[in-house]
Amino acid sequence: REQVEVDLRGAREELDRERKDREAERGELSRQLEQEREERSKREEEVRQQLAKADEDLRQQQAKAEEERAKAEEALRAAEAKAEELRQQQAKAEEEEKAKAEEGAGQLREELRQLEARAAELREQQGAA
């Protein structure tokens, strides 16, 4: 009977040691799990911040591109307006040139008519003389 009590005590001590070992192992696993959760949470936060920064960078790039597109469109409109203005100026200058040329031709025709009339007069005078 003493031997049974010794064996029982030994078995209880062994069970207590195993229980303490399992509790210590469970505690270590809990600490590791908590550490992994904290690390994962930290990585997730870093990724969220990187995504937020990427979104903001993209938004700024899109705003800048839109601003540049608007400036380019305005520059194009200004260039087209200037080209139209120059075309109108050129057409006006050509019209004025044409009008001056026609006026000059009209004056030359009038002078020629007067010279021909004077020549005819002179011929009549010469013929009468």
Side-chain angles (χ1 to χ4, degrees):
R1 177 181 168 147
E2 254 181 57
Q3 184 60 40
V4 170
E5 287 181 12
V6 168
D7 288 346
L8 277 175
R9 214 172 316 132
R12 281 189 195 116
E13 290 173 0
E14 179 65 26
L15 285 174
D16 281 347
R17 280 194 298 274
E18 286 180 13
R19 184 179 50 77
K20 288 178 183 176
D21 287 349
R22 280 193 305 274
E23 286 176 0
E25 190 175 316
R26 194 174 321 132
E28 178 60 26
L29 288 174
S30 290
R31 281 190 296 278
Q32 288 178 359
L33 182 60
E34 184 58 29
Q35 184 178 359
E36 288 174 7
R37 283 181 183 149
E38 288 174 5
E39 289 173 1
R40 185 179 67 233
S41 177
K42 184 178 176 183
R43 285 191 306 269
E44 288 173 351
E45 181 58 29
E46 288 172 357
V47 168
R48 273 193 291 278
Q49 289 176 358
Q50 289 172 350
L51 283 173
K53 182 173 181 352
D55 285 346
E56 180 60 19
D57 290 348
L58 178 60
R59 188 195 63 71
Q60 288 178 0
Q61 289 173 356
Q62 288 173 334
K64 184 176 180 183
E66 178 61 28
E67 183 179 321
E68 289 173 359
R69 184 191 63 74
K71 285 180 184 177
E73 285 180 357
E74 182 57 33
L76 177 60
R77 280 193 292 275
E80 288 172 342
K82 184 65 175 175
E84 180 59 28
E85 179 185 334
L86 291 174
R87 278 192 289 276
Q88 290 176 0
Q89 287 176 359
Q90 182 179 6
K92 183 178 177 183
E94 287 172 356
E95 279 296 316
E96 288 173 356
E97 225 174 270
K98 184 178 175 184
K100 286 180 184 176
E102 287 176 2
E103 183 181 323
Q107 287 175 352
L108 289 175
R109 282 192 291 273
E110 178 59 25
E111 288 176 20
L112 177 60
R113 188 191 61 70
Q114 289 175 1
L115 286 174
E116 286 175 344
R118 179 75 177 131
E121 257 179 50
L122 291 172
R123 277 200 253 1
E124 282 178 23
Q125 288 176 3
Q126 205 174 24

PDB file of all heavy atoms in Angstrom, residues 7 9 31 38 56 58 68-69 78 80 84 92 98 128:
ATOM      1  N   ASP A   7       3.739   5.478  -5.657  1.00  0.00           N
ATOM      2  CA  ASP A   7       3.507   5.489  -7.112  1.00  0.00           C
ATOM      3  C   ASP A   7       2.469   6.549  -7.474  1.00  0.00           C
ATOM      4  O   ASP A   7       2.619   7.267  -8.463  1.00  0.00           O
ATOM      5  CB  ASP A   7       3.018   4.117  -7.575  1.00  0.00           C
ATOM      6  CG  ASP A   7       4.122   3.068  -7.549  1.00  0.00           C
ATOM      7  OD1 ASP A   7       5.304   3.471  -7.432  1.00  0.00           O
ATOM      8  OD2 ASP A   7       3.804   1.870  -7.664  1.00  0.00           O
ATOM      9  N   ARG A   9       1.748   9.272  -5.692  1.00  0.00           N
ATOM     10  CA  ARG A   9       2.381  10.577  -5.512  1.00  0.00           C
ATOM     11  C   ARG A   9       3.274  10.886  -6.709  1.00  0.00           C
ATOM     12  O   ARG A   9       3.259  11.996  -7.242  1.00  0.00           O
ATOM     13  CB  ARG A   9       3.192  10.576  -4.217  1.00  0.00           C
ATOM     14  CG  ARG A   9       3.164  11.911  -3.560  1.00  0.00           C
ATOM     15  CD  ARG A   9       3.784  11.911  -2.190  1.00  0.00           C
ATOM     16  NE  ARG A   9       3.393  10.766  -1.387  1.00  0.00           N
ATOM     17  CZ  ARG A   9       4.244   9.983  -0.690  1.00  0.00           C
ATOM     18  NH1 ARG A   9       5.519  10.270  -0.650  1.00  0.00           N
ATOM     19  NH2 ARG A   9       3.828   8.941  -0.018  1.00  0.00           N
ATOM     20  N   ARG A  31       1.763  34.081 -26.098  1.00  0.00           N
ATOM     21  CA  ARG A  31       2.639  35.250 -26.295  1.00  0.00           C
ATOM     22  C   ARG A  31       3.073  35.354 -27.757  1.00  0.00           C
ATOM     23  O   ARG A  31       3.061  36.434 -28.346  1.00  0.00           O
ATOM     24  CB  ARG A  31       3.869  35.159 -25.381  1.00  0.00           C
ATOM     25  CG  ARG A  31       3.590  35.559 -23.940  1.00  0.00           C
ATOM     26  CD  ARG A  31       4.871  35.694 -23.120  1.00  0.00           C
ATOM     27  NE  ARG A  31       5.588  34.422 -22.974  1.00  0.00           N
ATOM     28  CZ  ARG A  31       5.288  33.485 -22.072  1.00  0.00           C
ATOM     29  NH1 ARG A  31       4.298  33.692 -21.225  1.00  0.00           N
ATOM     30  NH2 ARG A  31       5.981  32.363 -22.003  1.00  0.00           N
ATOM     31  N   GLU A  38       0.257  41.470 -33.303  1.00  0.00           N
ATOM     32  CA  GLU A  38       0.758  42.849 -33.273  1.00  0.00           C
ATOM     33  C   GLU A  38       1.570  43.165 -34.527  1.00  0.00           C
ATOM     34  O   GLU A  38       1.415  44.237 -35.118  1.00  0.00           O
ATOM     35  CB  GLU A  38       1.604  43.071 -32.017  1.00  0.00           C
ATOM     36  CG  GLU A  38       0.808  43.122 -30.734  1.00  0.00           C
ATOM     37  CD  GLU A  38       1.678  43.190 -29.488  1.00  0.00           C
ATOM     38  OE1 GLU A  38       2.920  43.284 -29.614  1.00  0.00           O
ATOM     39  OE2 GLU A  38       1.122  43.147 -28.376  1.00  0.00           O
ATOM     40  N   GLU A  56      -3.224  59.462 -52.625  1.00  0.00           N
ATOM     41  CA  GLU A  56      -3.014  60.919 -52.623  1.00  0.00           C
ATOM     42  C   GLU A  56      -2.081  61.335 -53.764  1.00  0.00           C
ATOM     43  O   GLU A  56      -2.337  62.321 -54.455  1.00  0.00           O
ATOM     44  CB  GLU A  56      -2.444  61.372 -51.271  1.00  0.00           C
ATOM     45  CG  GLU A  56      -2.187  62.856 -51.185  1.00  0.00           C
ATOM     46  CD  GLU A  56      -3.412  63.727 -51.377  1.00  0.00           C
ATOM     47  OE1 GLU A  56      -4.548  63.243 -51.225  1.00  0.00           O
ATOM     48  OE2 GLU A  56      -3.238  64.918 -51.690  1.00  0.00           O
ATOM     49  N   LEU A  58      -1.640  59.767 -56.571  1.00  0.00           N
ATOM     50  CA  LEU A  58      -2.401  59.613 -57.813  1.00  0.00           C
ATOM     51  C   LEU A  58      -3.368  60.784 -57.994  1.00  0.00           C
ATOM     52  O   LEU A  58      -3.477  61.343 -59.082  1.00  0.00           O
ATOM     53  CB  LEU A  58      -3.165  58.284 -57.799  1.00  0.00           C
ATOM     54  CG  LEU A  58      -4.041  58.002 -59.022  1.00  0.00           C
ATOM     55  CD1 LEU A  58      -3.195  57.976 -60.294  1.00  0.00           C
ATOM     56  CD2 LEU A  58      -4.777  56.694 -58.841  1.00  0.00           C
ATOM     57  N   GLU A  68      -2.723  70.772 -66.586  1.00  0.00           N
ATOM     58  CA  GLU A  68      -1.889  70.905 -67.784  1.00  0.00           C
ATOM     59  C   GLU A  68      -2.734  70.774 -69.051  1.00  0.00           C
ATOM     60  O   GLU A  68      -2.515  71.477 -70.028  1.00  0.00           O
ATOM     61  CB  GLU A  68      -0.771  69.865 -67.760  1.00  0.00           C
ATOM     62  CG  GLU A  68       0.298  70.157 -66.720  1.00  0.00           C
ATOM     63  CD  GLU A  68       1.335  69.056 -66.567  1.00  0.00           C
ATOM     64  OE1 GLU A  68       1.228  68.017 -67.261  1.00  0.00           O
ATOM     65  OE2 GLU A  68       2.249  69.226 -65.751  1.00  0.00           O
ATOM     66  N   ARG A  69      -3.725  69.850 -69.014  1.00  0.00           N
ATOM     67  CA  ARG A  69      -4.605  69.683 -70.177  1.00  0.00           C
ATOM     68  C   ARG A  69      -5.404  70.970 -70.414  1.00  0.00           C
ATOM     69  O   ARG A  69      -5.544  71.430 -71.547  1.00  0.00           O
ATOM     70  CB  ARG A  69      -5.558  68.500 -69.943  1.00  0.00           C
ATOM     71  CG  ARG A  69      -6.439  68.198 -71.148  1.00  0.00           C
ATOM     72  CD  ARG A  69      -7.543  67.213 -70.823  1.00  0.00           C
ATOM     73  NE  ARG A  69      -8.476  67.707 -69.835  1.00  0.00           N
ATOM     74  CZ  ARG A  69      -9.405  68.632 -70.051  1.00  0.00           C
ATOM     75  NH1 ARG A  69      -9.527  69.180 -71.233  1.00  0.00           N
ATOM     76  NH2 ARG A  69     -10.211  69.019 -69.075  1.00  0.00           N
ATOM     77  N   ALA A  78      -6.011  79.932 -77.995  1.00  0.00           N
ATOM     78  CA  ALA A  78      -5.356  81.220 -78.253  1.00  0.00           C
ATOM     79  C   ALA A  78      -4.615  81.178 -79.598  1.00  0.00           C
ATOM     80  O   ALA A  78      -4.676  82.143 -80.377  1.00  0.00           O
ATOM     81  CB  ALA A  78      -4.388  81.554 -77.121  1.00  0.00           C
ATOM     82  N   GLU A  80      -5.308  79.232 -82.167  1.00  0.00           N
ATOM     83  CA  GLU A  80      -6.297  79.211 -83.255  1.00  0.00           C
ATOM     84  C   GLU A  80      -6.882  80.609 -83.476  1.00  0.00           C
ATOM     85  O   GLU A  80      -7.082  81.026 -84.617  1.00  0.00           O
ATOM     86  CB  GLU A  80      -7.413  78.210 -82.932  1.00  0.00           C
ATOM     87  CG  GLU A  80      -6.960  76.758 -83.041  1.00  0.00           C
ATOM     88  CD  GLU A  80      -7.998  75.764 -82.543  1.00  0.00           C
ATOM     89  OE1 GLU A  80      -8.925  76.163 -81.795  1.00  0.00           O
ATOM     90  OE2 GLU A  80      -7.866  74.579 -82.890  1.00  0.00           O
ATOM     91  N   GLU A  84      -6.556  82.803 -86.877  1.00  0.00           N
ATOM     92  CA  GLU A  84      -7.721  83.374 -87.563  1.00  0.00           C
ATOM     93  C   GLU A  84      -7.543  84.879 -87.737  1.00  0.00           C
ATOM     94  O   GLU A  84      -7.840  85.430 -88.808  1.00  0.00           O
ATOM     95  CB  GLU A  84      -9.008  83.069 -86.775  1.00  0.00           C
ATOM     96  CG  GLU A  84     -10.261  83.628 -87.410  1.00  0.00           C
ATOM     97  CD  GLU A  84     -10.518  83.113 -88.817  1.00  0.00           C
ATOM     98  OE1 GLU A  84     -10.093  81.988 -89.150  1.00  0.00           O
ATOM     99  OE2 GLU A  84     -11.140  83.853 -89.600  1.00  0.00           O
ATOM    100  N   LYS A  92      -7.501  91.065 -95.556  1.00  0.00           N
ATOM    101  CA  LYS A  92      -7.741  92.508 -95.633  1.00  0.00           C
ATOM    102  C   LYS A  92      -6.616  93.187 -96.416  1.00  0.00           C
ATOM    103  O   LYS A  92      -6.870  94.047 -97.272  1.00  0.00           O
ATOM    104  CB  LYS A  92      -7.837  93.089 -94.223  1.00  0.00           C
ATOM    105  CG  LYS A  92      -8.150  94.568 -94.192  1.00  0.00           C
ATOM    106  CD  LYS A  92      -8.271  95.075 -92.767  1.00  0.00           C
ATOM    107  CE  LYS A  92      -8.519  96.571 -92.747  1.00  0.00           C
ATOM    108  NZ  LYS A  92      -8.571  97.105 -91.390  1.00  0.00           N
ATOM    109  N   LYS A  98      -5.344  94.811-103.751  1.00  0.00           N
ATOM    110  CA  LYS A  98      -6.097  94.653-104.989  1.00  0.00           C
ATOM    111  C   LYS A  98      -6.819  95.968-105.338  1.00  0.00           C
ATOM    112  O   LYS A  98      -6.806  96.399-106.492  1.00  0.00           O
ATOM    113  CB  LYS A  98      -7.110  93.518-104.819  1.00  0.00           C
ATOM    114  CG  LYS A  98      -7.892  93.192-106.056  1.00  0.00           C
ATOM    115  CD  LYS A  98      -8.836  92.030-105.786  1.00  0.00           C
ATOM    116  CE  LYS A  98      -9.721  91.757-106.981  1.00  0.00           C
ATOM    117  NZ  LYS A  98     -10.699  90.708-106.688  1.00  0.00           N
ATOM    118  N   ALA A 128      -4.405 119.928-140.148  1.00  0.00           N
ATOM    119  CA  ALA A 128      -5.017 121.185-140.564  1.00  0.00           C
ATOM    120  C   ALA A 128      -3.964 122.183-141.007  1.00  0.00           C
ATOM    121  O   ALA A 128      -4.236 123.058-141.807  1.00  0.00           O
ATOM    122  CB  ALA A 128      -5.813 121.767-139.400  1.00  0.00           C
TER     123      ALA A 128
END
